[in-house]
Amino acid sequence: MLNIKNLHASIEEKKILKGINLIVNPGELHVIMGPNGAGKSTLASVLTGKDKFNIDNGEILFDGQIINELPPEERACKGMFMSFQYPIAIPGVNNMYFLKEALNSQKKYRGETQLDSIDFLGEMKTKLKYVGLEESFIHRPVNDGFSGGEKKRNEILQMITLEPKLSILDETDSGLDIDALKIISEGINNFRNKDRSFILITHYQRMLDYLKPDFVHVMIQGEIVKSGDKSLALELENKGYSWILNEKVETSQS
Amino acid sequence: MPEKIITDSINQEYKYGFVTDIEQEKIPPGLNEDVVKLISKKKNEPEWLCEWRLKAYRHWLKMVEPDWAKVNYPKIDFNEISYFAAPKKKLNSLDEVDSEILDTYNKLGIPLQEQKMLAGVAVDAVFDSVSVATTFKDDLFKQGIIFCSFSEAVQDHPELIKKYLGTVVPITDNFYAALNSAVFSDGSFCYIPKGVKCPMELSTYFRINASNTGQFERTLLVADEGAYVSYLEGCTAPQRDENQLHAAVVELIAMENAQIKYSTVQNWYPGDKNGKGGIYNFVTKRGICKGDNSKISWTQVETGSAITWKYPSCILKGNNSIGEFYSVALTNNRQQADTGTKMIHIGKHTKSTIISKGISAGFGQQTYRGEVRINKNADNARNYSQCDSILIGDKCGAHTFPYIDVRNTTAQMEHEATTSNIGEDQLFYCNQRGISTEDAIAMIVNGFCKEVFKELPMEFAVEAQKLLEISLEGSVG
Ligand SMILES: Nc1ncnc2c1ncn2[C@@H]1O[C@H](COP(=O)(O)OP(=O)(O)OP(=O)(O)O)[C@@H](O)[C@H]1O
Ligand SMILES: [Mg+2]
């Protein structure tokens, strides 16, 4: 599904990603953890095509195609989705209208029949339940005046509506209350199947209790320095990141 | 790069820039008393009107051209302008309209031939200085509604013209209104008699075709007691390298219990990307709610012109009268707009609403200038003003100058203003959901203008929405 080869990226001459390698197969859930400023959100932005960042080296393959130069909307239409760490508000634009436009642009790109407003509204009503949002939210402007947790729920609402192949969830768990964490995790679990892949960026392992990841990676200063299974997340939560850095120094010296 | 996408997205192509090749009659450039008399004579006007024009002209000579702080343009040489241009053929009916002109209006989407006429809309088509066709005229006349070109009204209903002309915008009002009063060539006249609700939208479509001419129309609209009318105005011009002057005057009069809804979609040629050419749109529009319980609503969508200067205003004289102003103005590339409204509260319990939405892109500069005045005797007057600006890119500007002058302590005033940007982050968010930058801008701008669009008659709302999209459209991807 996704194959990242030796990816280097920078912003305004500042190197942030320094040789990322990662393969995500269909159905897999990968977790990326790492200290603040490590480059996790940058990786998500580069994957989804934010052009503020320059790719200096390396390749991103999505479904076997190099997408380094592909504009963000085409990547989205091909099935890439990011739940933003800080979702953006769009005052004046109705949430449901926005989501319908998004879905129909994607359907149009793929040559599928577009949905009309009535069918779409019906579909929305069931989906709202998965994320625990009231119906009034789809009639409000996109993320405008939403609380932190409501924004995150709205991101997941968009995910389950757009049905991407690859979902990159950037700290979707932060800002969610305890109940919401459970509801959202269940929503994501329901949405998982053998074809859909996930990259989950998080600082905590609490969501992983629900989500059962296949791999956990640690990113420090723009590199993936360690990979393991779910137990690595627990270990990080107990011990922090410094031991990995030491381990890294030792391996590079030997 | 997002910067580039934004600039590309707002590069518009002006669809209406073609020129119609017809034989026309044009007075040589220049302005003096003889020219004013000649215009009046060509139009076979009564003596009093010629005198009225001359009075305006003499007053104009004494006036100085206004100098607006936020608007920049080279000085206009009023002697280089031709003050009258008309298609040569004289017309007696619609069937005689020159086929070139019919084609022109067809291309503009305004069919004038009987069989193709727009359902439910009566059109007065003004080509350069003269009205070339008015549709559904006879049907309307059966209900006592007079809807015709200004020149015809002068011939057929001189008493009405004499009674109302210049009563809302006096010849001394301002520099361009005085000039218009001296040299106006044609325009539309409309009278809705007592108690009549006009059954269709009335519309004037202005087209500047000739080069080096100024267009000076005069619109006069009177809704007698209890009457209702909804009036639409549209405008386009060919793409030319030199600037052209358009200085119109619109006067609205609403008697007791009458209601006038006046909508404008202004899409004059805005000039090219570098600011070459384009129309100078200096317009005086004012309505008076003369009788009690009367209402005047101005709705405007302004996307064209190199420079726009206009403040559709309401004088709320009758008790309980209502004035409304809904505006969307877009300035792109090098366009400049200085627009807003004046609400003058004179009667008791008068109410005004101002909703202004400004969109600036490219190097566009926009100023909202609004005045709300509550006179001493205007007890319990109310005003609500909301001025929002949205900026696309970082080279454009928006400025807001609300003037409030309250002389009665019972007044209730509310004012809100916001400025926002369509930022890279918003666009990326939309892109990430599969929406192209072009569609994202259109979506955000439409959302921004919703409150104004809903005031436009249905067909016009769709048209206006499309127009905005075209004006913001570019060559992305
Ligand atoms: N526009 C920018 N200009 C300059 N530096 C930037 C910019 N965007 C990101 N960076 C820098 O890139 C580095 C990586 O940032 P990124 O947001 O990817 O970190 P992160 O791993 O997601 O951190 P967190 O856990 O705090 O979300 C940081 O040092 C950040 O300051
Ligand atoms: Mg981050």
Side-chain angles (χ1 to χ4, degrees), chain A residues 14 42 97 101-102 113 238 241:
Chain A
K14 184 179 170 192
T42 302
Y97 179 77
E101 283 296 293
T113 18
N238 292 327
Y241 291 106

mmCIF file of all heavy atoms in Angstrom, chain A residues 14 42 97 101-102 113 238 241:
data_model
loop_
_atom_site.group_PDB
_atom_site.id
_atom_site.type_symbol
_atom_site.label_atom_id
_atom_site.label_comp_id
_atom_site.label_asym_id
_atom_site.label_seq_id
_atom_site.Cartn_x
_atom_site.Cartn_y
_atom_site.Cartn_z
ATOM 1 N N LYS A 14 15.751 23.981 6.422
ATOM 2 C CA LYS A 14 15.907 23.223 7.665
ATOM 3 C C LYS A 14 15.517 21.758 7.417
ATOM 4 O O LYS A 14 14.379 21.463 7.039
ATOM 5 C CB LYS A 14 14.989 23.832 8.738
ATOM 6 C CG LYS A 14 15.136 23.176 10.090
ATOM 7 C CD LYS A 14 14.226 23.839 11.116
ATOM 8 C CE LYS A 14 14.217 23.004 12.400
ATOM 9 N NZ LYS A 14 13.176 23.386 13.324
ATOM 10 N N THR A 42 5.336 16.319 10.374
ATOM 11 C CA THR A 42 5.964 16.647 9.097
ATOM 12 C C THR A 42 5.855 15.460 8.146
ATOM 13 O O THR A 42 5.510 15.623 6.968
ATOM 14 C CB THR A 42 7.440 17.030 9.308
ATOM 15 O OG1 THR A 42 7.494 18.134 10.202
ATOM 16 C CG2 THR A 42 8.113 17.390 7.998
ATOM 17 N N TYR A 97 -22.001 20.259 3.879
ATOM 18 C CA TYR A 97 -21.741 20.662 2.503
ATOM 19 C C TYR A 97 -20.282 20.376 2.147
ATOM 20 O O TYR A 97 -19.971 19.826 1.084
ATOM 21 C CB TYR A 97 -22.047 22.153 2.335
ATOM 22 C CG TYR A 97 -21.793 22.659 0.945
ATOM 23 C CD1 TYR A 97 -22.690 22.386 -0.076
ATOM 24 C CD2 TYR A 97 -20.648 23.405 0.658
ATOM 25 C CE1 TYR A 97 -22.452 22.839 -1.360
ATOM 26 C CE2 TYR A 97 -20.405 23.864 -0.619
ATOM 27 C CZ TYR A 97 -21.304 23.584 -1.625
ATOM 28 O OH TYR A 97 -21.061 24.026 -2.891
ATOM 29 N N GLU A 101 -19.025 17.822 -0.680
ATOM 30 C CA GLU A 101 -18.152 18.264 -1.757
ATOM 31 C C GLU A 101 -16.909 17.389 -1.840
ATOM 32 O O GLU A 101 -16.467 16.998 -2.911
ATOM 33 C CB GLU A 101 -17.696 19.712 -1.528
ATOM 34 C CG GLU A 101 -18.734 20.750 -1.846
ATOM 35 C CD GLU A 101 -19.096 20.743 -3.320
ATOM 36 O OE1 GLU A 101 -18.259 21.083 -4.151
ATOM 37 O OE2 GLU A 101 -20.255 20.357 -3.609
ATOM 38 N N ALA A 102 -16.338 17.094 -0.663
ATOM 39 C CA ALA A 102 -15.133 16.277 -0.610
ATOM 40 C C ALA A 102 -15.423 14.895 -1.184
ATOM 41 O O ALA A 102 -14.720 14.399 -2.066
ATOM 42 C CB ALA A 102 -14.625 16.183 0.830
ATOM 43 N N THR A 113 -20.521 7.353 -9.320
ATOM 44 C CA THR A 113 -21.682 8.259 -9.278
ATOM 45 C C THR A 113 -21.673 9.063 -7.985
ATOM 46 O O THR A 113 -21.383 8.540 -6.915
ATOM 47 C CB THR A 113 -23.031 7.492 -9.330
ATOM 48 O OG1 THR A 113 -22.782 6.144 -8.989
ATOM 49 C CG2 THR A 113 -23.681 7.616 -10.668
ATOM 50 N N ASN A 238 6.771 3.848 30.013
ATOM 51 C CA ASN A 238 7.435 3.706 31.309
ATOM 52 C C ASN A 238 8.792 4.389 31.356
ATOM 53 O O ASN A 238 9.152 5.011 32.346
ATOM 54 C CB ASN A 238 7.616 2.222 31.656
ATOM 55 C CG ASN A 238 6.264 1.566 31.924
ATOM 56 O OD1 ASN A 238 5.355 2.220 32.435
ATOM 57 N ND2 ASN A 238 6.131 0.295 31.557
ATOM 58 N N TYR A 241 12.183 8.345 26.251
ATOM 59 C CA TYR A 241 12.887 8.119 24.990
ATOM 60 C C TYR A 241 14.413 8.029 25.122
ATOM 61 O O TYR A 241 15.090 7.559 24.220
ATOM 62 C CB TYR A 241 12.556 9.235 24.002
ATOM 63 C CG TYR A 241 11.129 9.195 23.531
ATOM 64 C CD1 TYR A 241 10.208 10.120 23.981
ATOM 65 C CD2 TYR A 241 10.706 8.199 22.642
ATOM 66 C CE1 TYR A 241 8.893 10.075 23.558
ATOM 67 C CE2 TYR A 241 9.393 8.155 22.223
ATOM 68 C CZ TYR A 241 8.486 9.084 22.679
ATOM 69 O OH TYR A 241 7.191 9.033 22.261
#
